[in-house]
Amino acid sequence: MAEQTSRLADEGVETARAPELIATGIGLAVEALAVEVTTAFERSGIASILLKGPSVIRWLYPATTDRYSVDVDVLVAPADHERAETVLAQLGFEPFGPRRDDKHARSWARRRDALPVDLHRSIVGVGVSDEGAWDVLSGVTEPLEVCGATLSVLQPHGRALHLALHAAQETPDKEKALRDLSRGLELLELEIWRQARVLAVQLDALPGLGAGLRLLPEGDAVARELQLPKRVTTEIALRAGGAPDLSLGLSRLLELEGTTTRARYVVSRAFPSRAAMLAWSPLARRGRVGLAAAYVWRVPWLAIRLVPALRAVRAARGASKGHSLDP
C-alpha cells in the first residue's frame, strides 16, 4: 500500500486523494475476486450467495468511497461445501486460520492476493442447522451486477438481519460492523426490520437480532418496536464478549450428548488433521519435523487456554440464563 501511495504521489496525484484511490482499488479487487470465486463455483454446479461486501457497500454507501471490504464472504449449501473447498484449492487458495473453532466459516487465501475468501456454511447467530439456514436464505436472494457478472445476494431484509447479527460479534471489524448497522437503521424503513424479524424467526436468530440492535440507541428503539426478546444464547454471549480461544469449542462440547461422542470431539480438537494443523501453526509447515513439533506443542497450548475458556463459558451460560449480556 505504501508503494502504491508513493507512486500515485510521483504521478502527480494529490496526496489527499491517494487514500480515496487506494480504497477504490481495494474495492474493485474485492469485487473482481468475488466474481472469480462465484463464477468458478457456478461452473462446478455450486450455487452461492455473496454476503456483505459489495452487496452492503453499494446498498448503504452508494455515494462514498471510504467504506470498502477487505475480504470476500460466500455462503454455499452444506452439501456443496467440500466441492467448494476443492474449487478454491484449484484456484490456488489454501485454508488458513483457524477461526477459533468457528463452525460457520473458514478462511482461505492465496499468495498472489492480499484478500481472503471466507467460505461460509452458515451465519453466526443463526440457530437452525446449516441445511435449514441454506434452505431459508437461498429463498430470499436477488441478483446483483458486479463487474459484468450477475451474483446472488440477500434481499434487503436478509441483509438487514445480517447487519445486526454481525454487529453482535466481537470481531476486529467491530467498528465497521456498528457503522454499517447504524447506517442501516438510518436508511431502512421499519417495514424492512419487521421482515428481518420474520426471517430471524425462521432461522432461530431472534436473540442475535436483538443483541445486535441493542448495541445502538436507535437500534434499541427498533428492538422495542419489534418486541424482540432480551434472551441471548451462550454462543452469542461468548462472541459478544470476544470469545477467548477454546471457549466456543468447549461450549459445543458441553452441548454434546454421550461420553463416546464427547470423547471423539475432544480427540478431534486436540489432534486435528494434518490440513488443520497446517492452517493452525506456521511451525507445522516446516516439514515432518515441524508438523510433529506442532502436535506436541498443541497439548500445552490447549492446557494454557483451558481455564480462561471455562470461565468464559460459565459467564456466557449465566448470561444466557439471565437473558442479558450485562456482567
Side-chain angles (χ1 to χ4, degrees):
M1 288 301 174
E3 293 179 0
Q4 185 173 357
T5 303
S6 177
R7 189 178 72 252
L8 290 170
D10 292 340
E11 293 173 356
V13 179
E14 296 180 15
T15 304
R17 291 193 59 212
E20 177 184 337
L21 294 175
I22 292 173
T24 300
I26 294 174
L28 291 174
V30 168
E31 292 189 357
L33 183 59
V35 169
E36 179 186 0
V37 170
T38 55
T39 300
F41 286 165
E42 184 178 3
R43 286 197 298 265
S44 297
I46 301 171
S48 64
I49 302 173
L50 180 66
L51 303 173
K52 301 187 298 182
S55 69
V56 168
I57 294 170
R58 293 185 179 192
W59 181 45
L60 300 181
Y61 308 96
T64 63
T65 58
D66 64 336
R67 174 67 174 93
Y68 56 89
S69 292
V70 294
D71 62 2
V72 173
D73 291 82
V74 184
L75 174 70
V76 300
D80 292 331
H81 196 264
E82 287 189 11
R83 286 199 299 137
E85 290 188 325
T86 299
V87 171
L88 287 175
Q90 291 171 346
L91 292 175
F93 288 87
E94 296 179 350
F96 77 97
R99 298 177 52 153
R100 290 183 179 172
D101 299 310
D102 200 333
K103 63 182 179 180
H104 303 88
R106 190 178 191 184
S107 294
W108 292 70
R110 60 186 175 190
R111 296 185 179 182
R112 71 173 185 263
D113 296 306
L115 306 171
V117 172
D118 287 351
L119 183 63
H120 286 255
R121 300 177 61 94
S122 185
I123 295 175
V124 174
V126 167
V128 298
S129 67
D130 295 348
E131 292 79 6
W134 175 260
D135 288 343
V136 172
L137 293 173
S138 61
V140 291
T141 63
E142 64 182 24
L144 177 68
E145 293 296 320
V146 178
C147 296
T150 302
L151 311 185
S152 291
V153 301
L154 295 175
Q155 293 173 6
H157 63 296
R159 279 174 269 166
L161 172 60
H162 198 191
L163 290 179
L165 295 180
H166 188 57
Q169 305 174 57
E170 192 63 38
T171 60
D173 64 346
K174 180 79 168 185
E175 184 177 343
K176 284 185 178 180
L178 289 174
R179 178 187 176 189
D180 291 346
L181 178 58
S182 177
R183 183 74 170 167
L185 288 165
E186 175 187 349
L187 297 179
L188 303 181
E189 299 286 344
L190 182 60
E191 179 58 28
I192 294 294
W193 292 105
R194 289 197 179 103
Q195 294 174 21
R197 188 192 194 285
V198 173
L199 184 61
V201 171
Q202 295 176 283
L203 294 168
D204 187 19
L206 279 182
L209 175 60
L213 287 175
R214 290 190 176 94
L215 292 173
L216 299 173
E218 59 272 35
D220 185 58
V222 172
R224 289 198 303 272
E225 180 69 27
L226 299 180
Q227 299 182 339
L228 295 176
K230 291 188 176 181
R231 69 183 179 86
V232 296
T233 64
T234 299
E235 180 179 357
I236 290 173
L238 282 170
R239 290 183 181 277
D245 290 321
L246 303 190
S247 58
L248 291 171
L250 181 59
S251 177
R252 283 203 295 281
L253 172 64
L254 297 176
E255 294 172 358
L256 296 176
E257 297 183 359
T259 302
T260 301
T261 301
R262 288 184 173 183
R264 287 175 178 171
Y265 184 83
V266 169
V267 171
S268 69
R269 292 299 173 178
F271 304 101
S273 67
R274 177 180 179 276
M277 288 297 294
L278 293 176
W280 175 69
S281 170
L283 178 62
R285 301 173 202 139
R286 299 180 181 177
R288 294 182 179 179
V289 174
L291 179 62
Y295 272 115
V296 172
W297 163 239
R298 187 165 175 82
V299 174
W301 185 90
L302 292 170
I304 292 170
R305 288 158 175 77
L306 183 58
V307 172
L310 284 168
R311 290 173 179 167
V313 171
R314 181 179 179 183
R317 292 185 124 192
S320 67
K321 292 179 180 178
H323 298 182
S324 172
L325 286 174
D326 297 331

